[in-house]
Amino acid sequence: MFGIYARAWHSSRYAIWVIWCLSLSMSIQAVIIRVPEDCSTIQQDIDVASYGDIVLVSAGVYKGVGNTDLDFKGKWITVSSKEGPDVTIIDCGRTSRGFYFHSGETTESVVRGFTITNGSDQEGYIGAICCIKSSPLIEGNVITGNF
């Protein structure tokens, strides 16, 4: 008789724990981090983003340190332009790449809505986006004039 009550108590306790975990996960929402409003470079916003967050980049030309060789560092985040690739440009200046994926990123890591141009690594081999053992989702971008 005691075994039946113990199993019922254990099962109800487990059910309460599962319901609590589900309600907690449903209450977590993606945070939108804006460039340049929240941080001055795209990489700074990527660095402060948490899993599931969206880095929203305003129209403009982004170049130089912090705006090229962008590294998600394995995070499942979305980096997206606010107004599309026609007006949101990552100019790599022929000295760097636009994005560098090398930490096992999956399709949960998303790049959307940029023009990526003038990309090249120091050896002149890799242009706009470098993926090493990673499979990010790259969609709605214009990749042009890279080496």
Side-chain angles (χ1 to χ4, degrees):
M1 186 88 156
F2 176 74
I4 294 171
Y5 290 116
R7 275 185 287 194
W9 180 81
H10 177 72
S11 295
S12 64
R13 187 172 155 199
Y14 176 74
I16 291 169
W17 179 79
V18 168
I19 291 168
W20 179 80
C21 286
L22 287 172
S23 66
L24 180 64
S25 67
M26 288 180 206
S27 66
I28 298 173
Q29 296 182 356
V31 173
I32 297 175
I33 305 166
R34 292 173 172 79
V35 179
E37 294 86 355
D38 295 327
C39 294
S40 60
T41 68
I42 300 170
Q43 187 64 57
Q44 286 175 331
D45 279 4
I46 290 171
D47 291 345
V48 300
S50 297
Y51 288 78
D53 287 350
I54 299 167
V55 174
L56 191 60
V57 182
S58 294
V61 177
Y62 295 86
K63 55 187 172 180
V65 176
N67 291 310
T68 60
D69 278 323
L70 300 169
D71 187 347
F72 278 42
K73 301 177 181 174
K75 294 180 185 180
W76 292 1
I77 61 174
T78 297
V79 176
S80 179
S81 69
K82 186 176 179 180
E83 299 178 47
D86 293 338
V87 294
T88 314
I89 300 162
I90 296 175
D91 185 343
C92 303
R94 297 185 182 184
T95 61
S96 59
R97 303 165 282 230
F99 291 88
Y100 181 39
F101 294 100
H102 61 106
S103 301
E105 290 86 358
T106 68
T107 56
E108 299 294 325
S109 301
V110 180
V111 174
R112 182 181 296 125
F114 295 94
T115 291
I116 305 167
T117 189
N118 293 321
S120 176
D121 65 359
Q122 283 72 16
E123 291 82 32
Y125 296 117
I126 299 171
I129 301 170
C130 177
C131 296
I132 300 172
K133 296 183 181 179
S134 298
S135 300
L137 178 59
I138 299 168
E139 65 180 7
N141 298 286
V142 175
I143 298 174
T144 183
N146 295 281
F147 302 92

